[in-house]
Amino acid sequence: MTVPFGVPAHFPDDTGADTFVAQLPTAVAPADRAYLSTKPPLFLLRVPGHGEEYDRRVRRVVEALRQPLDDMGKLVPHAVLEAGAAGSGPLAAVAGERLGYGIPRHLTPDRFPQFSLLRDVIADVMEHGAGAGAAAGAKALRDRAYEQRVRRGGLPAVLWKLGGGENPPAASFYGWLLGVLWLPLTQTFPRWWWALRKTRELVRPMRLSPFRRTRWLGAELHAERGKENLFRVLDDMAQRQVLRLALDEAHPQREESLQRLEDLLVRALLEDLRVPQPGRLLPRRRRRTARPVLLVEVPPEGTAGAEQAERFLRAFHRARAAAQPPGPLVIAVGRPSDALLAELGGPAESNLTQAGLQLTQKDGHPVLVTFRDEPLTRHGLPIPQVNPKTFNTSWQTATSLVTAGAVVSAAVLGVWVFGVVQGPPTHPCVGGDDSVAASTQAEPVGVRPKEWYDAATGAIRKENKRAEALAAAGSTVRTVVAFESNRPTTEINTRFDGSIPELRGIALWQRRLNDEAISDDTRVPLRVEVRSAGAEFRDAEQEARKLVAEQNDGSRRKPYEQVIGVLGYSQSRDETRAALKVLSAAGIPTVGTTATADEMLDGDNQSYWPFAPANSTESRIGADFAGKFDIVERRNGEGGCAPAEHAVIVQSPADLYSRSLTGKFSHDFPGSSQVINFAQDGDFRRAPAGTPRVSSAHDLAETVCRALKTQPNSVVVWSARARDFIAFINALNAQGTCIEDDITVLGGNELTMVAQTGSFSDKHWLRLYYSSHRMPVTDKRASEKTREFVEVYDRFVRDTTDGADPWREDGHAAVAYDAFHVLSRAADVTYRDKHADRRSMLTALTSGMSFDGATGYVSYLAGANAAPVDKTLVLLRQGAKGAVSVVACGAYRQGLTTQEQPPPCAAEAQH
């Protein structure tokens, strides 16, 4: 979560803010850990304002409170709970999960057994309630809960794995004996014993237990004196709540049921957070040096997420009164309703001085502080960073070194024996088992943005002068406009912008065209005007209108200055789609480059011919590849890979390309999927309702990690831009909480601009697949035209620039080269009549054309302005051998068709 640029930052400097700011780090990480043995009161920071202004103010306060707790990773356990973060479920589920991820190394509390169990059971209840079906039953509830426990690892997971999935063959007495004894020993008995222990921990103690205090769940569900086990008690509760959850959303009994489930989950979380108690001798207690912090956004009453946030605060207030210390620090920021304040005891108004003093108190009523408007309009006070005591070793190491060594030895031996018996993996990973770090590009390639951009545009200016000289000699010469984003000024911008390789491709075709026009009178030399459409094409529509106005102003121009077409755009954005409508209304022919969103070709853009395969094609192929090919590392110790069962899709909701690809991939993917919205500028206007929204790379890394922990057999599908991808990968690496296993990422053509530049040379955990519009020249299947283009491109780069080229295998240059070829062919046909006008170009393009190009065979059908038939689309795997083609679809050589190629190229229904 970040505060937008230009918005006043830091904690608002209201009355007494200096006291609150000074006391907060001490309350979270006191020098004397004895101060952690308290239950701080609930803090309510009420924020004035309405609409977007209110949202910005809440984000500012929350971010000011979060920043001192985080430094490229959590310094203390904390979680930010945004409005609607849990969909329609309990917000406590999100709170526990976020506290559990990214825990600072070797600090406690670090285990959440009661919360995890109740969360899984309540998820079951919510699922049946949503389906208006009956509850699962005690046995099914127990079995599913134990299955989740096994997934979290530890001894239950080891035993379950040893048991295997089926009974051993009973062909002999030995096999029969294994079947009778083995599964009970490894699965049945451990599950029974686990359920018994949970009953004793949560419902009632054993008769002879020395710790006879009442168990909290038994007291909550009035079962502490009965004989039922835990799951019978939970099933009884579920039978009641499922019926209520099936009621209409506005029904009071449904809301009462949601509150009841929130109460149970919050109480379970508080019970876990109080273990261990702070201490100075026992290693686990010594490592409790900081207090967990929960920051809760509270929307105004009646808005989305308000009821959910208030249910959580109401549950926390109740559970805090019953739970034993120590407890977390909970700060709610927003506008709590009058009804909630009444249930919290009607806290009196305080100022920040009084609130700061309450931070270190042992107990107390909720504290309510209302900010004034004026402090929220200016910069505030930074909160000092917390500095908890840290440790070099875990408490498990300090107390159980010998036991841990034995377990590790046994585990290693078991894995070795299993490996010997199993042999090599039966499901090798598509494209190899190595990671991006094994790529032959060992370190990031340095780029020289101004020098390289000027070299490309300088080559175009040189060819323009040649074309004008040919015009002076009597040749028919015309002009095309190439719209690019702003001239890159920094190395960072250059890596994420395909303008330099695209301009190189334009210069190469223009040079070839001029060379051929010297001896071939049928060729029409073309000048190129390179025009800026602004950063990220934000000025695309304005520049298109400017071009149209210039063409319609009636000014006398030299014949070779007549604009007969446009080359663009390289990105699918709302701005570029609007620009195409302007150009189409004026009848100016436009040939696209790497813009791929189907939405670019809507009904109004009849003079636009896309060049690259559409998102609908790419998503179908990518979804089939991810869901049916072995690309995700197997987590069960078998080695090799398996198809993805779940897709975690990261999109930028304000970006047309990203929205388009996300929607189509979600529809085509054969497994389940979830969407995470990521916008570093905070623009979530197009984000789907009920989906997570994150605006910092750190928060995105945490969100994706949680999804991967929940669904290990998942692929991360990246539909956002390359710049955001770099930030995400760096945040994952810095956080380090879920990179112990390889992470598989499937991205679009956007990632070619960074995947091959060595940016990920130290990311040994990253398996990267991405699409491209040209076959790598190292692939023996590459056509002669592709190889010829790469030779010419290499020579051009050597002659015009210094340094290694990061885009040699990137498709942008080849796409621009072929797209310019399309416009050039149309001009050759049109200007056989020297008196033809620009609109005749539309007729030439509509008539269709075919040629063998740098990207493969290009074939436009007559009568339709769609992308070329069977356009090349390649899926690459970045590894030890560089970019390796693992899927090659379309006519990357003349004579090939998608329909005749195996899946994922052709749809299975066609086979």
Side-chain angles (χ1 to χ4, degrees):
M1 178 184 297
T2 56
V3 177
F5 179 76
V7 175
H10 301 314
F11 191 79
D13 188 12
D14 210 331
T15 304
D18 53 341
T19 301
F20 187 87
V21 163
Q23 290 294 326
L24 182 62
T26 303
V28 174
D32 185 353
R33 67 192 66 178
Y35 284 102
L36 293 173
S37 301
T38 61
K39 293 189 299 182
L42 170 63
F43 289 85
L44 304 162
L45 304 183
R46 188 156 53 186
V47 177
H50 300 280
E52 292 186 2
E53 177 191 47
Y54 169 81
D55 293 336
R56 287 195 302 269
R57 288 177 170 184
V58 170
R59 280 203 303 271
R60 169 193 173 177
V61 176
V62 171
E63 182 66 10
L65 293 168
R66 187 196 66 82
Q67 283 181 342
L69 313 177
D70 196 293
D71 183 20
M72 295 298 291
K74 293 182 178 180
L75 298 173
V76 300
H78 70 272
V80 177
L81 307 181
E82 307 91 351
S88 60
L91 194 57
V94 177
E97 289 171 2
R98 293 187 179 180
L99 283 175
Y101 288 110
I103 296 176
R105 193 178 182 191
H106 305 323
L107 294 190
T108 58
D110 58 350
R111 294 182 174 184
F112 304 91
Q114 299 186 37
F115 164 78
S116 300
L117 172 59
L118 266 293
R119 178 199 59 201
D120 296 339
V121 171
I122 287 175
D124 247 14
V125 174
M126 296 290 294
E127 179 182 348
H128 284 86
K139 184 176 180 297
L141 208 59
R142 179 204 64 184
D143 292 349
R144 281 204 286 270
Y146 189 68
E147 180 183 346
Q148 295 297 324
R149 174 62 188 89
V150 167
R151 288 186 179 181
R152 289 192 287 273
L155 183 58
V158 174
L159 293 173
W160 191 271
K161 177 61 182 174
L162 290 175
E166 299 179 358
N167 290 323
S172 64
F173 173 76
Y174 178 70
W176 173 83
L177 193 62
L178 287 177
V180 171
L181 296 179
W182 189 240
L183 287 181
L185 283 174
T186 57
Q187 295 182 357
T188 307
F189 177 76
R191 182 173 55 200
W192 172 84
W193 180 250
W194 174 80
L196 179 64
R197 283 196 305 108
K198 292 302 173 185
T199 299
R200 301 310 183 200
E201 290 174 6
L202 296 172
V203 179
R204 76 184 64 82
M206 294 179 63
R207 293 182 181 275
L208 301 180
S209 171
F211 306 104
R212 294 293 298 171
R213 66 177 180 84
T214 301
R215 302 313 194 233
W216 73 268
L217 187 59
E220 284 281 341
L221 300 179
H222 309 293
E224 69 270 26
R225 297 187 181 278
K227 295 182 179 180
E228 294 86 355
N229 64 29
L230 169 66
F231 293 98
R232 181 68 59 82
V233 171
L234 290 175
D235 183 56
D236 289 343
M237 180 273 295
Q239 296 288 350
R240 297 189 297 272
Q241 304 307 331
V242 162
L243 297 175
R244 291 178 157 194
L245 290 172
L247 297 171
D248 293 338
E249 288 192 6
H251 201 286
Q253 265 60 55
R254 185 178 188 277
E255 179 61 29
E256 184 179 322
S257 179
L258 290 172
Q259 184 66 64
R260 182 60 169 155
L261 297 178
E262 189 90 53
D263 288 345
L264 292 176
L265 201 52
V266 169
R267 179 63 187 276
L269 180 61
L270 293 189
E271 291 293 329
D272 284 336
L273 290 179
R274 72 181 188 85
V275 178
Q277 295 286 322
R280 298 184 180 277
L281 295 177
L282 298 179
R284 190 180 181 195
R285 293 190 174 193
R286 291 188 68 240
R287 282 157 177 76
R288 182 162 192 142
T289 60
R291 185 186 306 281
V293 179
L294 291 170
L295 304 175
V296 186
E297 291 186 6
V298 185
E301 185 176 8
T303 60
E307 290 185 356
Q308 185 184 70
E310 294 201 351
R311 276 199 302 269
F312 175 81
L313 296 176
R314 197 177 292 116
F316 173 75
H317 179 65
R318 296 170 183 172
R320 179 184 169 280
Q324 297 296 314
L329 173 62
V330 178
I331 302 177
V333 182
R335 190 176 303 163
S337 67
D338 292 339
L340 175 64
L341 293 177
E343 290 191 52
L344 298 181
E349 284 277 1
S350 302
N351 57 34
L352 288 172
T353 299
Q354 296 166 323
L357 297 176
Q358 286 289 323
L359 282 169
T360 54
Q361 297 300 308
K362 294 183 177 181
D363 212 335
H365 299 291
V367 177
L368 174 65
V369 176
T370 301
F371 288 112
R372 293 178 295 121
D373 276 304
E374 189 274 333
L376 291 164
T377 62
R378 52 185 171 86
H379 286 284
L381 304 177
I383 302 177
Q385 194 172 79
V386 298
N387 186 28
K389 178 178 173 58
T390 57
F391 298 85
N392 294 323
T393 59
S394 67
W395 63 269
Q396 294 96 331
T397 301
T399 56
S400 307
L401 186 59
V402 175
T403 303
V407 170
V408 170
S409 299
V412 171
L413 179 62
V415 170
W416 178 79
V417 171
F418 188 74
V420 170
V421 173
Q422 289 292 103
T426 57
H427 298 276
C429 305
V430 175
D433 294 332
D434 51 353
S435 69
V436 171
S439 175
T440 51
Q441 185 59 58
E443 59 183 28
V445 176
V447 296
R448 303 175 181 180
K450 296 179 182 179
E451 176 185 335
W452 292 0
Y453 184 91
D454 291 344
T457 53
I460 291 173
R461 286 193 297 272
K462 178 181 177 181
E463 297 304 323
N464 284 345
K465 292 180 180 179
R466 290 183 65 195
E468 291 167 10
L470 289 169
S475 296
T476 299
V477 178
R478 294 293 183 266
T479 296
V480 298
V481 171
F483 281 119
E484 299 290 341
S485 59
N486 274 356
R487 176 176 182 255
T489 55
T490 67
E491 179 174 336
I492 296 299
N493 290 338
T494 307
R495 287 184 186 276
F496 310 132
D497 190 329
S499 60
I500 292 177
E502 192 165 283
L503 288 170
R504 288 172 175 172
I506 292 171
L508 286 174
W509 178 259
Q510 189 183 20
R511 185 174 69 182
R512 175 176 172 176
L513 181 61
N514 284 337
D515 289 344
E516 294 178 355
I518 293 174
S519 58
D520 188 347
D521 292 339
T522 65
R523 305 311 303 270
V524 176
L526 296 173
R527 296 172 65 254
V528 178
E529 288 186 14
V530 179
R531 299 193 181 189
S532 171
E536 298 179 344
F537 293 94
R538 290 176 187 144
D539 302 329
E541 182 179 7
Q542 175 185 340
E543 289 299 318
R545 293 189 184 281
K546 180 179 177 182
L547 173 62
V548 172
E550 290 173 358
Q551 300 304 303
N552 296 334
D553 64 4
S555 300
R556 294 182 61 85
R557 295 185 178 85
K558 297 176 182 178
Y560 65 73
E561 293 177 331
Q562 178 187 345
V563 174
I564 63 169
V566 166
L567 197 62
Y569 295 83
S570 62
Q571 293 183 6
S572 303
R573 296 182 180 272
D574 291 321
E575 294 86 352
T576 53
R577 181 170 61 171
L580 287 178
K581 291 184 179 181
V582 173
L583 297 173
S584 292
I588 298 179
T590 306
V591 176
T593 54
T594 53
T596 57
D598 299 69
E599 293 80 359
M600 296 286 282
L601 191 62
D602 59 22
D604 297 329
N605 298 342
Q606 294 300 312
S607 70
Y608 171 61
W609 275 261
F611 184 82
N615 280 355
S616 53
T617 300
E618 181 173 338
S619 68
R620 178 184 62 77
I621 293 172
D624 199 47
F625 173 71
K628 298 177 182 177
F629 288 72
D630 296 331
I631 65 171
V632 177
E633 182 186 29
R634 291 174 178 263
R635 300 290 197 262
N636 53 12
E638 295 180 2
C641 289
E645 297 174 0
H646 183 74
V648 180
I649 308 174
V650 179
Q651 73 160 352
S652 296
D655 188 338
L656 175 62
Y657 159 79
S658 185
R659 292 197 312 272
S660 170
L661 192 59
T662 295
K664 291 171 175 58
F665 190 95
S666 300
H667 177 269
D668 295 335
F669 184 63
S672 59
S673 64
Q674 67 184 101
V675 175
I676 300 172
N677 300 285
F678 179 45
Q680 296 195 70
D681 60 0
D683 188 352
F684 295 105
R685 289 171 295 174
R686 302 285 186 91
T691 55
R693 306 177 181 192
V694 291
S695 51
S696 78
H698 172 77
D699 291 345
L700 177 63
E702 281 198 345
T703 305
V704 171
C705 277
R706 287 195 297 272
L708 295 180
K709 293 288 186 182
T710 304
Q711 297 270 13
N713 199 10
S714 297
V715 59
V716 176
V717 178
W718 190 266
S719 74
R721 297 291 176 179
R723 176 177 178 272
D724 292 333
F725 185 67
I726 291 284
F728 165 65
I729 293 299
N730 289 338
L732 268 181
N733 200 59
Q735 189 174 354
T737 56
C738 66
I739 59 175
E740 63 273 10
D741 295 310
D742 285 358
I743 296 176
T744 299
V745 176
L746 174 62
N749 174 65
E750 178 81 8
L751 296 189
T752 61
M753 292 181 287
V754 293
Q756 301 167 13
T757 63
S759 298
F760 310 128
S761 57
D762 59 341
K763 309 303 186 293
H764 299 275
W765 45 269
L766 177 60
R767 296 173 183 264
L768 181 60
Y769 298 87
Y770 55 95
S771 65
S772 179
H773 298 144
R774 172 175 74 76
M775 180 72 77
V777 72
T778 53
D779 194 304
K780 62 182 181 181
R781 296 171 292 180
S783 71
E784 286 304 314
K785 284 291 184 181
T786 298
R787 297 180 188 278
E788 175 187 307
F789 168 78
V790 174
E791 289 178 6
V792 174
Y793 175 85
D794 287 346
R795 190 161 53 249
F796 176 86
V797 172
R798 285 196 303 269
D799 293 344
T800 60
T801 61
D802 294 324
D805 177 36
W807 301 296
R808 185 174 186 268
E809 293 294 354
D810 174 71
H812 283 75
V815 168
Y817 182 86
D818 281 353
F820 196 5
H821 187 170
V822 173
L823 268 179
S824 173
R825 284 281 296 271
D828 291 345
V829 172
T830 299
Y831 289 96
R832 290 171 184 170
D833 176 4
K834 294 187 177 182
H835 302 291
D837 61 15
R838 184 178 64 228
R839 292 185 180 273
S840 300
M841 287 280 291
L842 297 175
T843 303
L845 287 167
T846 305
S847 299
M849 68 177 71
S850 299
F851 60 86
D852 198 6
T855 59
Y857 192 67
V858 179
S859 178
Y860 281 99
L861 293 179
N865 57 332
V869 179
D870 294 318
K871 191 67 195 72
T872 303
L873 183 71
V874 183
L875 295 184
L876 303 178
R877 167 84 153 85
Q878 195 72 17
K881 297 180 181 179
V884 176
S885 172
V886 294
V887 172
C889 299
Y892 51 86
R893 287 204 316 267
Q894 186 173 355
L896 299 178
T897 63
T898 303
Q899 288 77 7
E900 296 175 355
Q901 293 166 334
C905 298
E908 287 193 346
Q910 296 173 321
H911 281 261

